Amino acid sequence: MVKAEGVHKSYGPVEVLKGIDLEVKRGEVFCLIGPSGSGKSTFLRCINHLEKINAGRLWVDGDLVGYRQKGEKLHELGEREVAFQRRDIGMVFQRFNLFPHMTAIENVMEAPVRVKGQSKADARERAGQLLERVGLGDKARNYPSQLSGGQQQRVAIARALAMEPKLMLFDEPTSALDPELVGDVLDVMRQLAEDGMTMVVVTHEMGFAREVGDALVFMDGGVVVESGHPREVLTNPQHDRTKAFLSKVL
């Protein structure tokens, strides 16, 4: 579903990604772990072209992300074409980014109506089903300010699912939550995994990575240091840098 070859990303003189190579299989829960500043979130944002890569190639479901190749040359896609690619990629951020002036159900309806041209009646029915799915059917008419952080994050997940994506990206979705609210969000993500959704998850929740993940990558300094099955990497890391990191977080 996702293939990265030699992906580089710099901000001025600072090289954040230094040649990332990895593959995410269809239906896989792919976890990215590592210290702050290691490039995990930047790489995630490159997958849907929120950040433009400086070198390398990224594909999602066989399509080159953000560019069209003609011969040996790459030509950047226009904003409309990039937006069309993003329709198939759902993203959930650390901060929930809900529209504060819209109710939960209106937040979930917005993109299908505006982007896909769904009727409001159809979008409202689907949004209601998705809110039920994330355990918030009774909060449909609540505004974000009337919801807890965990509830807002579950609305954000429902909103991403409303576009019927083939791929879901999660950028530390529980890091802004109080500890007692984390479980509800992780439960929704577990259910998505059981339903076969392809997911790339930047996370500090090692228990989730161990239980739900199919593959895990440890990043540091803009490179992939170690990769493998989550249980193997977390219980028997091979690289000294991985061992040092895990000794502080497990």
Side-chain angles (χ1 to χ4, degrees):
M1 180 63 79
V2 180
K3 184 177 181 182
E5 286 186 357
V7 171
H8 288 255
K9 173 64 183 177
S10 298
Y11 298 101
V14 180
E15 194 174 18
V16 180
L17 300 177
K18 303 174 182 177
I20 302 296
D21 297 297
L22 56 80
E23 290 189 13
V24 181
K25 298 183 177 69
R26 194 178 305 276
E28 190 170 59
V29 178
F30 191 99
C31 297
L32 291 168
I33 67 169
S36 296
S38 59
K40 310 180 302 295
S41 294
T42 298
F43 177 71
L44 202 70
R45 292 168 66 86
C46 289
I47 293 176
N48 62 2
H49 206 58
L50 287 175
E51 299 287 354
K52 300 176 184 178
I53 64 177
N54 299 112
R57 302 283 192 277
L58 258 173
W59 291 268
V60 171
D61 201 21
D63 293 326
L64 197 60
V65 174
Y67 298 90
R68 181 184 299 107
Q69 186 157 352
K70 292 183 178 178
E72 294 297 310
K73 289 190 176 182
L74 286 181
H75 301 269
E76 188 172 356
L77 298 179
E79 187 55 42
R80 184 184 294 269
E81 294 169 295
V82 171
F84 188 80
Q85 285 189 332
R86 286 196 192 115
R87 287 164 49 133
D88 293 327
I89 305 172
M91 186 157 186
V92 178
F93 299 87
Q94 293 180 40
R95 296 289 173 180
F96 327 119
N97 294 345
L98 299 178
F99 296 115
H101 63 290
M102 293 183 180
T103 62
I105 198 164
E106 288 168 345
N107 265 281
V108 178
M109 290 170 55
E110 181 72 359
V113 171
R114 284 189 177 271
V115 178
K116 286 192 167 182
Q118 277 187 15
S119 72
K120 285 192 174 182
D122 287 347
R124 183 175 294 275
E125 181 179 0
R126 173 69 173 152
Q129 293 169 352
L130 289 169
L131 287 174
E132 289 283 354
R133 183 176 178 183
V134 299
L136 293 174
D138 60 335
K139 303 293 185 183
R141 289 179 171 79
N142 287 48
Y143 289 90
S145 61
Q146 299 169 315
L147 301 172
S148 71
Q151 290 170 336
Q152 290 186 60
Q153 192 60 295
R154 284 185 280 156
V155 173
I157 293 172
R159 180 179 60 179
L161 292 173
M163 290 294 287
E164 300 182 330
K166 62 179 78 168
L167 170 67
M168 285 283 284
L169 309 177
F170 292 87
D171 188 6
E172 297 186 28
T174 59
S175 65
L177 303 180
D178 293 334
E180 68 267 25
L181 302 176
V182 168
D184 290 338
V185 173
L186 293 181
D187 285 344
V188 171
M189 294 172 66
R190 284 189 185 93
Q191 186 59 55
L192 287 178
E194 290 174 11
D195 292 343
M197 175 63 74
T198 309
M199 299 157 63
V200 183
V201 185
V202 173
T203 186
H204 294 299
E205 300 291 340
M206 300 301 157
F208 174 85
R210 185 188 291 111
E211 296 165 28
V212 183
D214 299 299
L216 182 142
V217 156
F218 171 67
M219 286 179 63
D220 189 33
V223 300
V224 172
V225 176
E226 190 164 342
S227 62
H229 191 277
R231 288 191 184 90
E232 294 173 6
V233 175
L234 294 175
T235 58
N236 189 28
Q238 301 300 302
H239 196 283
D240 287 344
R241 182 66 188 96
T242 316
K243 293 175 184 177
F245 174 77
L246 292 175
S247 71
K248 295 176 181 177
V249 301
L250 289 178

